[in-house]
Amino acid sequence: MTSPRSTPLRERHEALGASFTDFGGWEMPVRYTSDLAEHHAVRTAAGLFDISHMALFSVRGPERDAFLGYALAVDPAPLKLSRAKYTMILAPDGGIIDDLIVTRNAEDQFLIVANAGNRDAVRDALRERLAGFDAELVELDDALVAVQGPRAREILQQTSGLVHDESLAMGHALDTLPYYAAMGMRFRDSTVLVSRTGYTGEDGFEISVDADRVGELWDALLSAGEPFGLVPAGLASRDTLRLEAGMPLYGHELSRHVIPSQAGLGRVVPLSTKAADFVGRSALESGARADAPVLVGLVSDGRRAGRAGYPVRDGEDVIGEVTSGALSPTLGYPIAMAYVAPGLSAPGTELTIDVRGTAIPATVTALPFYRRTT
């Protein structure tokens, strides 16, 4: 059995009192102090996350656009310099191998960010699909950290050593960087890529940096963020934050057995605007079978939350299963995402969740559960 890998920040996490868990083959901090405190800090101020377990791939070469257009469910041609897009890599039957973010981070280059647990599957699929294209795929070993929360921009602006460099900025400034766009900056003597993206439902930034410099950047961010209420945050708070925001997690809401439309993500696949073929297209054009389950949100009263794997019932009939659930720290009541029979997916439908033998009433609701107001 292979031991979990550690990120370059492992010693810093230990010094901060982190508890660890195996996530996608990586030993990652699950919390530092309190799940709730870290969650609320991100909603009200900011949290600092180590996301160096994520997989990074660079794509270059004369036929990079054509390659990505075939390999992924994305049309890269309209993606201008610095712009990013959420997309997927699909199996031939339309099942989801992984969900990704693709950024045109140079005129002649794309950056792909994939989930840690799918690193091998994504790499293998991309390499296989590279055949016949004049393009190059390189796996990167850069580290990633994320600053998420309403004070995130202020914290980056106050971070010692992180400075604007016009030659790297791709026409942007930090105070006007659009959502789902990236810019290069200088951190001391290193180049970093700052992307206005995240997985919490809050504003924020994800920063790619050389692995041997990430410790210095982590320290500088913590120091700059302390007056603003920044705290280090682990996977437990990241999970409740993304659940409130209705963001899917691979292995829970997304899998090889689900096509994008079932997960409410048909909009991210450009069937109507992308003329070129891509792997999985014909399966998506055929669509899911009529009785294929679809993803919904569920809300309940009380304090008992449905968890992943709990049955969802209509009367005595099991009609679905919870994929993620928790007592929402922000909203104060139980929330869950679940796959249910399509005939019972309309908002307002009354169902129950079997919580360890107790039928807890739950109402279907539109996602997301939480949306930031600014």
Side-chain angles (χ1 to χ4, degrees):
M1 184 175 179
T2 304
S3 299
R5 299 172 64 182
S6 296
T7 79
L9 293 169
R10 170 71 196 227
E11 292 184 0
R12 283 171 168 81
H13 299 321
E14 290 176 340
L16 291 166
S19 302
F20 293 86
T21 189
D22 185 341
F23 184 81
W26 292 75
E27 197 165 28
M28 298 298 295
V30 66
R31 68 182 58 82
Y32 296 85
T33 55
S34 154
D35 302 353
L36 288 176
E38 292 165 24
H39 180 110
H40 288 308
V42 174
R43 288 280 181 252
T44 60
L48 177 60
F49 297 86
D50 179 8
I51 53 172
S52 299
H53 59 311
M54 304 292 281
L56 300 175
F57 301 92
S58 171
V59 177
R60 305 186 72 160
E63 295 183 334
R64 59 192 178 274
D65 288 62
F67 162 59
L68 286 181
Y70 170 72
L72 307 180
V74 67
D75 185 358
L79 206 59
K80 296 181 179 180
L81 177 65
S82 83
R83 295 295 173 152
K85 190 168 183 64
Y86 175 76
T87 187
M88 297 179 181
I89 182 167
L90 304 176
D93 65 359
I96 301 169
I97 296 174
D98 200 14
D99 59 335
L100 316 164
I101 293 180
V102 177
T103 305
R104 192 185 291 269
N105 62 321
E107 290 288 1
D108 62 348
Q109 183 174 346
F110 289 95
L111 177 68
I112 299 172
V113 181
N115 286 299
N118 292 327
R119 178 186 299 266
D120 293 345
V122 171
R123 181 200 311 112
D124 292 348
L126 289 173
R127 284 178 175 171
E128 179 182 345
R129 297 171 193 187
L130 192 60
F133 291 97
D134 186 3
E136 178 187 17
L137 175 73
V138 177
E139 186 170 359
L140 306 176
D141 59 3
D142 289 9
L144 277 172
V145 296
V147 182
Q148 299 285 296
R151 310 301 296 274
R153 191 189 305 271
E154 297 169 272
I155 291 167
L156 264 63
Q157 290 172 329
Q158 296 300 316
T159 298
S160 176
L162 185 64
V163 296
H164 182 85
D165 185 326
E166 191 65 32
S167 67
L168 303 172
M170 293 183 275
H172 296 298
L174 188 60
D175 59 355
T176 56
L177 185 67
Y179 189 52
Y180 263 66
M183 62 181 291
M185 295 186 72
R186 187 74 62 186
F187 177 66
R188 297 177 183 169
D189 60 353
S190 296
T191 299
V192 300
L193 185 71
V194 178
S195 302
R196 194 176 171 197
T197 51
Y199 192 53
T200 63
E202 294 298 332
D203 198 5
F205 302 86
E206 296 176 324
I207 308 171
S208 172
V209 59
D210 289 343
D212 60 357
R213 304 306 301 271
V214 68
E216 297 173 54
L217 178 60
W218 176 271
D219 294 344
L221 289 166
L222 278 180
S223 178
E226 185 176 5
F228 296 95
L230 174 76
V231 302
L235 289 178
S237 61
R238 194 165 181 250
D239 192 49
T240 50
L241 289 159
R242 69 92 193 169
L243 174 58
E244 290 180 345
M247 295 178 167
L249 175 64
Y250 198 91
H252 289 250
E253 289 72 43
L254 307 180
S255 75
R256 296 277 187 119
H257 307 293
V258 170
I259 70 172
S261 60
Q262 288 177 260
L265 296 172
R267 67 188 183 280
V268 308
V269 182
L271 289 176
S272 61
T273 58
K274 181 179 175 181
D277 190 20
F278 61 90
V279 177
R281 177 172 190 140
S282 59
L284 298 191
E285 289 175 334
S286 299
R289 67 182 193 275
D291 63 346
V294 295
L295 188 67
V296 300
L298 295 172
V299 296
S300 305
D301 294 327
R303 308 290 289 178
R304 299 188 68 183
R307 304 290 180 175
Y310 285 13
V312 180
R313 298 181 183 272
D314 177 32
E316 295 299 317
D317 299 327
V318 175
I319 51 84
E321 182 177 281
V322 172
T323 54
S324 299
L327 178 63
S328 166
T330 303
L331 303 173
Y333 51 78
I335 59 174
M337 289 193 281
Y339 277 99
V340 303
L344 296 167
S345 64
T349 302
E350 298 294 334
L351 302 170
T352 61
I353 301 174
D354 185 340
V355 180
R356 298 181 179 179
T358 301
I360 303 296
T363 303
V364 175
T365 188
L367 295 170
F369 304 102
Y370 165 87
R371 193 187 303 273
R372 72 175 188 268
T373 57
T374 58

